[in-house]
């Protein structure tokens, strides 16, 4: 029996087969052949859907070693706090209150929080049904097909890279505040274009340290995270209580200086502050009991975080008039202005702890996204490998860390935040579409007529939501456009509810009030996307074009070979219990 075992290869290997093992990349002639069949392959992959079992079992073999199931609901709850509470609340609150929302920043957080909770419902159902590291990428591969999953994967990669870079830049700002120095004093000033002219080596170092900790051990990282998050929570409670103790209601006038437009423009940006909760879904593969632990971890942490954010935003608005708020280190400066100079350092330290845990948990979750994307061969499968000793995806972590470090070195937070928000909102919108498809369409069971009705109603819901967002962007005070778009959204959702029968019932926990909650999630995410400045869409469009070029040249052919069994992964180690069995 011992002779029948296949011994594992070294984890650290760099051969062509580890990066381009597919038939299409065997040599130049096979690659030219693949390119000549791009159109037919694209037709094949456009709507090809994966199966739950493939995502849960088959693709995991690409990692050669399994991740360790070591997390429970307590770990996930604190992962939620660690992943979400950081740069968003401590930095973006001051920036958006000063520039857009004024004291109504509390309403911006409430609007974003409600939208985020709608997405949390969708993530929770999927994470229970398909408990794998891929998160939204895996869910969309199952429900919307390979191409939709790829576009989402590209945005996930963008979100991971920019998210880490944005938090790392904020870390430097609060570190300088802790040292009682000007916010850009530790950055290198250059003559590059505005927004890219302040180089930040400290941000790169912080990203590297967080990643080293994350790859060492998932369970140890979890323990470190909840200890740091608990300390950060104490600081947050202090900020809220002390802020209300020094409240002056006159600072809240005018409440919304830039009107509803400013409130929703800020809501679209501060949505970034809720980003990271999807990290919990990527930890499903390492969770002991996903059906129990994930709902408690996701729904519990996000409900509490929404309340905390609203209270923190309100306390800042009552301490300082919006015109006096410092956009870079709002809370520290606010406490200094009300005579609590010592609190400035406590707040800066708490913010640093919060941003450190965001980076730490982000390094965990982001790497697991990348791992599953690589398992599907959307990117080279070398990034899917799990280290045999640490049971963590070191290669995937390296990819995210190096890319985030390069961007954090050059780009300012405002450039990163708007682009990050649009990617996050796009992914969450796609998740809401996927949950409706999952409930109302099962391949081989749902009649074609029902499928066509479902597609038609979804087009109406998405189109009317885009129309509502466009009406708001063109004339926020107008009402004529809404009399068309809002009823259309309602009729599209009502059509699904009355004319179609749900084909699938969740096994343990499901999104309530389907299709109404997912349809509302589609509308709110698209509405918030429409509230962003046009430059965010230009950057988003450029990134999408780059993704499509990559897909045509590489991703399409790699996934085609994978789907048609023109590439098979040899097993790393044969389980002794399976030897000799049929």
């Amino acid at each position: 029996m011992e002779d029948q075992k296949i011994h594992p290869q070294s984890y650290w290997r760099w051969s062509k087969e580890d990066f381009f093992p597919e038939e299409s990349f065997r040599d130049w002639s096979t690659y030219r052949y693949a390119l000549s069949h791009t159109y037919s392959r694209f037709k094949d992959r456009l709507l090809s859907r994966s199966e739950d079992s493939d995502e849960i079992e088959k693709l995991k073999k690409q990692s050669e070693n399994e991740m360790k199931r070591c997390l429970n609901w307590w770990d996930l709850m604190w992962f939620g706090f660690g992943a979400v509470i950081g740069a968003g609340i401590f930095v973006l609150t001051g920036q958006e209150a000063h520039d857009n929302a004024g004291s109504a920043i509390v309403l911006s957080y409430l609007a974003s929080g409600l939208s985020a909770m709608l997405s949390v419902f969708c993530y929770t159902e999927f994470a229970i049904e398909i408990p794998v590291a891929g998160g939204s990428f895996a869910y969309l591969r199952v429900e919307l097909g390979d191409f939709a999953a790829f576009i989402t994967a590209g945005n996930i990669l963008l979100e991971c890279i920019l998210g880490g870079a944005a938090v790392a830049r904020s870390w430097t700002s609060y570190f300088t505040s802790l040292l009682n120095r000007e916010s850009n004093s530790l950055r290198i000033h250059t003559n590059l274009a505005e927004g890219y002219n302040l180089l930040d080596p400290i941000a790169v170092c912080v990203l590297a340290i967080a990643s080293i900790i994350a790859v060492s051990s998932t369970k140890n990282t979890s323990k470190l995270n909840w200890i740091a998050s608990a300390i950060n929570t104490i600081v947050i409670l202090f900020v809220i209580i002390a802020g209300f103790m020094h409240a002056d209601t006159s600072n809240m006038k005018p409440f919304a200086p830039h009107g509803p437009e400013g409130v929703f423009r800020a809501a679209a940006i501060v949505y970034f502050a809720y980003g990271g909760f999807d990290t919990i879904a990527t930890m499903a593969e390492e969770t002991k009991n996903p059906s129990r632990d994930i709902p408690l971890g996701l729904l519990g942490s996000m409900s509490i975080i929404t309340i905390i954010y609203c209270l923190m935003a309100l306390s800042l608005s009552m301490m300082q008039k919006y015109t006096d708020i410092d956009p870079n280190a709002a809370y520290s400066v606010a406490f200094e202005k009300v005579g609590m100079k010592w609190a400035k350092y406590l707040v800066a330290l708490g913010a640093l702890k919060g941003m450190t845990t965001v980076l730490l948990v982000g390094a965990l979750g982001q790497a697991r996204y990348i791992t599953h994307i690589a398992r599907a061969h959307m990117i080279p499968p070398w990034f899917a490998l799990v280290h045999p000793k640490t049971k963590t995806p070191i290669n995937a972590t390296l990819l995210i860390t190096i890319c985030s470090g390069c961007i954090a070195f050059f780009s300012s937070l405002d450039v990163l935040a708007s682009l990050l928000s649009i990617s996050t909102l796009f992914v969450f919108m796609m998740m809401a579409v996927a949950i409706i498809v999952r409930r109302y369409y099962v391949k081989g069971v749902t009649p074609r007529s029902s499928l066509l009705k479902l597609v038609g109603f979804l087009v109406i819901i998405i189109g009317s939501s885009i129309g509502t967002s466009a009406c708001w962007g063109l004339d926020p005070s107008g009402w004529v456009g809404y009399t068309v778009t809002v009823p259309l959204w309602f009729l599209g959702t009502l059509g699904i509810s009355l004319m179609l029968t749900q084909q699938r019932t969740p096994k343990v926990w499901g999104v309530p009030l389907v299709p109404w909650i997912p349809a509302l999630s589609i509308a709110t995410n698209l509405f918030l996307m429409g509230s962003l400045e046009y430059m965010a869409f230009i950057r988003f469009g450029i990134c999408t074009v780059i993704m499509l070029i990559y897909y045509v040249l590489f991703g399409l052919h790699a996934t085609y070979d994978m789907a048609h069994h023109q590439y098979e992964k040899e097993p790393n180690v044969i389980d002794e219990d399976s030897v000799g069995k049929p």
Side-chain angles (χ1 to χ4, degrees), residues 333-356:
V333 174
F335 278 114
E336 187 175 11
K337 295 292 185 182
V338 297
M340 297 178 68
K341 188 172 182 179
W342 59 271
K344 168 185 176 180
Y345 302 103
L346 179 63
V347 172
L349 183 62
L352 282 178
K353 280 186 174 293
M355 285 180 272
T356 302

Side-chain angles (χ1 to χ4, degrees), residues 9-15 18 382 385 387-388 393-395 398:
Q9 303 178 63
S10 168
Y11 184 82
W12 302 109
R13 53 188 197 264
W14 309 86
S15 71
D18 296 310
W382 184 78
L385 299 177
H387 196 278
I394 296 179
N395 295 344
L398 283 173

Side-chain angles (χ1 to χ4, degrees), residues 239-250:
V239 169
I240 294 171
I241 294 170
F244 282 120
M245 287 176 62
H246 291 83
D248 182 353
T249 54
S250 65

